[in-house]
Amino acid sequence: MEFGIVQFTSDRGLTPQILAPLIEDAGFASYYVPEHGHIPTRRDAAHPQTGDSSLPDDRYMRTLDPWTTLAAAAAVTTRIRLATAVALPVQSDPITLAKTLATLDHISGGRVTLGVGFGWNLDELGDHGVPSGRRRTMLREYLEAMRVLWTDEEAEYHGEFVDFGTSWAWPKPPQGLIPTLVGAAGNEKNFTWIARSADGWITTPGEADIEGSVDLLKQIWTDAGRAGDPQIVVLDFRPVPEKLERWREIGVSTVLYGLPDDSVEKASAYLAKLAGRLGIAPAVV
């Protein structure tokens, strides 16, 4: 089981070229960032945490672009995985996004993980022309189309939302297929979607009692004929040794923690303290 850091990026926090090396030097395995292109000022969609149209944090409207952020992090690190928790692919053009991700994987030496979401903010999705009732199908087609662009010498895809004829597209990601994880509530509907179209699950914030959910995911995964085990990434708030040991036993792949990012001093102190509590050794330079 590995430990990583998720930064709720904003134009007021540390930039990735400053923060990412601190994360790597402290011994953490991964760096995750979110995506929100814009937030409509008037919204009918309720936020999952507040239960209404109010936002729990104004960083939702100040979030940095994830791909520029991770490219900056790639340029100043060599080891940590570069990931999203979560990106919203259906708000982009799939062919262009496939190129962006393949390029990011190429320049980082194969360190990209794509965490995606279905999108709770239906108003935000609507501004991108995404039909709310079809966003799961749209995301599935986007991922399938990007995968053929990443792997086939002459790629083509024909679906409801993505349709293109035989095409050339390089670079190909060094990993072949970029691992894809889905951030969503732990239920049968979402796990069935993951078993069909992704490589693993990212929990939602505060979803700590996950043993039953992990058992369900693994059963659905096996029933779908998938080999091996799904990746499981847990968003945690406070490291508790007994809880972490149980997560390790049930097959959690990565545990993520947020951090203060308003100054180098605060971020460095927090990373050192957290690494000590988790038993992580600093990276050897």
Side-chain angles (χ1 to χ4, degrees), residues 4-9 20 23 29-35 64-67 69-71 73-74 77 79-87 101 104-105 108 110-116 175 178-181 202 231 233 254 256:
I5 296 296
V6 57
Q7 181 193 18
F8 197 155
T9 59
I23 294 170
S30 50
Y31 172 47
Y32 282 69
V33 298
E35 178 178 26
L64 303 186
D65 172 73
W67 317 122
T69 297
L70 294 180
T77 59
R79 180 184 56 82
I80 53 172
R81 289 202 68 81
L82 307 168
T84 48
V86 290
L101 286 164
L104 179 59
D105 204 51
S108 69
R111 292 189 280 140
V112 176
T113 293
L114 175 62
V116 303
Q175 300 178 87
I178 294 173
T180 303
L181 313 175
I202 303 174
Q231 294 185 45
V233 176
T254 303
L256 300 179

Side-chain angles (χ1 to χ4, degrees), residues 147-180:
R147 286 169 183 148
V148 299
L149 288 164
W150 292 337
T151 57
D152 293 0
E153 292 223 359
E154 292 189 356
E156 65 178 303
Y157 187 87
H158 304 285
E160 178 182 352
F161 297 101
V162 186
D163 193 335
F164 58 85
T166 54
S167 307
W168 293 315
W170 275 270
K172 305 297 184 187
Q175 300 178 87
L177 290 175
I178 294 173
T180 303

